[in-house]
Structures are given as C-alpha cells and as structure tokens.
Amino acid sequence: MAFYKEMAVMALEMIAEFGQPVIIRATTVGEYDPDTGSAPPDTVTEQAAQGILLDFTGQEFQNNSLIKQGDKKLKIAAQGLEWVPGLLNKVIVQGRTWSIVPPLKEINPAGTPILYELQVRS
C-alpha cells in the first residue's frame, strides 16, 4: 500500500513539472423553495489540480466512437485533491472551460487513487 502512495506522490511531482495548472469547478444548484417561489443562487466550488492536456491518437478515434473532433484527454494527478472530479464538473485549462464527458477513468491500484483520466470537450 505504501508503494502506491509513493507512486501517487511521484505522479503529482511529474505532472507538476511537465504539466500545467488545472481548476476543477463544481456547481451546486440552489434548491427551489416553494414558499418563496425562488431558489438561492448556485454555489460554485473550485479546487486547484495539476494536469496534462493531450490530443487523442488516431487509434483512439478508431476504437471509440464517443470521441469527437476537438475532444482532448486530460490526465490529473489524484494526490492532494479534496474531492474526485465528476461528470457534472467543469475544468479550466489554459483559460478555456471544458466539460467532462464519459468515460472518466480512475487509475486506482490497491485502492490508492494515482491519476484521473478525463475526456474533455469545449
């Protein structure tokens, strides 16, 4: 188990050195109150992460029909994240906002998250 924790730290160090900062944004919609006839404003929570934004390869396009032209692969280090990215979150990379589309993969040997691999679309 300690080996995988060390691998998670190493993944963060490598991505921090060769990658770039990423913001993960979660928006919680205010719950409608029928007594007042309104809802409170949405709550936005953000966390900083380190990631690498990559293009999909031609082979990946052939094997996965869910990938569209312009989609990117974003690998995010799991170490130090307060919460796990979800499909309803947005990510901000290089000043551009991206939506997360399925599949969202977690590299998680022996129960220790090391890396999240996301397909993102702007």
Side-chain angles (χ1 to χ4, degrees):
M1 190 74 104
F3 171 76
Y4 292 114
K5 288 183 180 179
E6 290 174 20
M7 293 302 294
V9 170
M10 185 183 302
L12 175 60
E13 290 172 357
M14 296 293 289
I15 291 174
E17 183 175 346
F18 298 106
Q20 58 194 320
V22 174
I23 300 293
I24 304 169
R25 179 179 291 161
T27 303
T28 305
V29 178
E31 189 173 325
Y32 177 76
D33 182 354
D35 293 336
T36 62
S38 64
D42 296 346
T43 305
V44 176
T45 307
E46 293 184 345
Q47 71 173 327
Q50 291 292 322
I52 299 173
L53 190 64
L54 304 163
D55 290 321
F56 283 100
T57 65
Q59 185 69 30
E60 289 170 314
F61 274 109
Q62 290 177 354
N63 294 337
N64 186 347
S65 62
L66 298 176
I67 299 171
K68 293 186 177 181
Q69 191 69 31
D71 284 2
K72 301 277 187 184
K73 187 183 332 179
L74 178 62
K75 296 186 180 204
I76 296 177
Q79 180 73 22
L81 292 182
E82 296 175 28
W83 38 272
V84 176
L87 293 174
L88 298 177
N89 297 157
K90 304 280 187 193
V91 291
I92 302 160
V93 185
Q94 299 172 343
R96 192 169 173 185
T97 302
W98 302 79
S99 297
I100 301 171
V101 295
L104 189 152
K105 297 178 188 173
E106 178 181 78
I107 312 304
N108 184 347
T112 303
I114 293 176
L115 188 72
Y116 297 102
E117 186 176 299
L118 307 122
Q119 180 177 335
V120 295
R121 183 176 294 155
S122 66

